[in-house]
Amino acid sequence: MTNALKDKANKLALAEFPLSAVEAGMRAFEYGKEKYERFDWLKGHSAIDLVSAIIRHALALQWDSECAKDSGLNHMDHILANAAMYVEQSR
């Protein structure tokens, strides 16, 4: 244990973000890597395409099934991955 002081002002507490959400999003990225190629998403997607994918997966999760038919992954995995791409591309 340490008594050293550390300035935490204006710094994100990244350790507080649930790692299970990171893992869920990464499952969809891993699937995408196999379906397309690694880092294909960095070529960019339109915001409307990403938001549409998020909505499709959210509706499917609510009304249809827990998992996507093509990947077998939970729809939330795809929602998190698409949201991450949206955030990154919006920077």
Side-chain angles (χ1 to χ4, degrees):
M1 186 145 159
T2 179
N3 292 325
L5 297 177
K6 179 142 180 75
D7 180 16
K8 297 178 188 175
N10 301 315
K11 294 182 182 174
L12 295 174
L14 296 175
E16 294 179 16
F17 192 88
L19 291 178
S20 58
V22 174
E23 291 172 352
M26 277 308 304
R27 284 191 290 270
F29 272 96
E30 288 291 325
Y31 174 75
K33 182 173 69 174
E34 298 301 318
K35 187 174 180 180
Y36 306 103
E37 62 182 46
R38 189 175 187 204
F39 299 120
D40 182 70
W41 67 273
L42 288 173
K43 296 174 186 173
H45 298 284
S46 71
I48 194 71
D49 286 347
L50 292 170
V51 171
S52 293
I54 291 168
I55 293 169
R56 277 194 309 276
H57 284 287
L59 289 174
L61 184 61
Q62 182 176 6
W63 300 112
D64 185 32
S65 64
E66 187 174 321
C67 296
K69 292 178 180 124
D70 59 344
S71 68
L73 297 174
N74 189 293
H75 288 291
M76 191 56 70
D77 297 356
H78 291 285
I79 290 169
L80 289 164
N82 280 284
M85 288 184 276
Y86 181 87
V87 168
E88 184 65 23
Q89 291 180 187
S90 298
R91 300 179 115 208

